Amino acid sequence: MSLLSLPFSKPSFSISPPITPSHLIRLLDPRVPFTIKQHIVEPLLNRTFAMPLAEGEFDALEGRCISLNIADLGMTLSLTLESQRLMLCREKGEATIRGGWREFLCLATRREDPDSLFFQRRLIIEGDTELGLTLKNLLDGCEEGLAQGRLGELLLGLERLVRKE
């Protein structure tokens, strides 16, 4: 038997694609306990919207639940208002605002007009559309938007990552 007739296997190299932030979130989100999400998200939202909450602008959400479905991340956050505080809830919302994370980022950082995002159907309201429009108008009416304070820093950091993806 000659060396040429011996079966040799070619070395196989597998190059994994780089892990993107969106891929990482899709992997981690289902594994993060609800209570940890509460401890991260609730303080950020309540600090960001402290003034409108104190002025009663979010009162229409009292005892109601609305979901934000970030479809391309497979992630849904449901929010309610209890005692003038925005809180995560486990229930599915009476209304759902659905879209991709880039669209939510554009909405949060005011990079695009919220009405344009909805009219172009990049963000969609399902279920109780009146409740969904109420939330959209509340967010649109907040002069400072979400891009303020620590939440703003986080959103702007995400925006930089979007450019790299």
Side-chain angles (χ1 to χ4, degrees):
M1 179 180 268
S2 76
L3 279 175
L4 295 175
S5 64
L6 290 175
F8 286 104
S9 61
K10 293 181 185 178
S12 64
F13 296 101
S14 159
I15 299 175
S16 301
I19 295 179
T20 62
S22 57
H23 180 73
L24 189 60
I25 291 169
R26 274 193 304 276
L27 289 173
L28 293 178
D29 179 62
R31 293 171 174 81
V32 176
F34 183 76
T35 54
I36 292 178
K37 289 178 187 180
Q38 284 178 302
H39 289 301
I40 294 169
V41 174
E42 289 176 6
L44 284 171
L45 289 175
N46 286 295
R47 273 194 303 270
T48 300
F49 295 112
M51 188 70 81
L53 284 165
E55 293 172 356
E57 292 183 30
F58 283 84
D59 287 354
L61 296 178
E62 183 77 36
R64 305 200 63 195
C65 185
I66 188 161
S67 296
L68 304 175
N69 177 262
I70 307 164
D72 53 355
L73 296 182
M75 180 177 170
T76 300
L77 293 174
S78 296
L79 300 169
T80 190
L81 182 74
E82 288 182 21
S83 304
Q84 298 304 107
R85 292 190 48 77
L86 290 168
M87 303 178 77
L88 289 183
C89 57
R90 295 179 190 269
E91 299 84 36
K92 183 178 188 276
E94 300 165 51
T96 299
I97 298 177
R98 181 175 43 86
W101 71 279
R102 285 179 173 88
E103 285 71 31
F104 278 105
L105 187 60
C106 287
L107 178 69
T109 58
R110 295 182 173 257
R111 295 289 187 238
E112 291 192 44
D113 175 56
D115 288 329
S116 295
L117 292 168
F118 285 95
F119 288 133
Q120 294 170 5
R121 301 198 46 81
R122 293 168 54 201
L123 288 174
I124 298 168
I125 298 174
E126 300 167 330
D128 185 338
T129 54
E130 185 177 339
L131 179 61
L133 286 172
T134 299
L135 180 65
K136 183 209 69 92
N137 292 334
L138 286 170
L139 294 175
D140 195 25
C142 290
E143 290 179 21
E144 67 278 351
L146 295 176
Q148 301 295 315
R150 288 186 181 157
L151 181 57
E153 292 169 15
L154 175 68
L155 291 171
L156 294 174
L158 283 173
E159 188 175 37
R160 284 190 292 274
L161 287 173
V162 168
R163 290 185 195 137
K164 293 178 183 179
E165 259 189 47

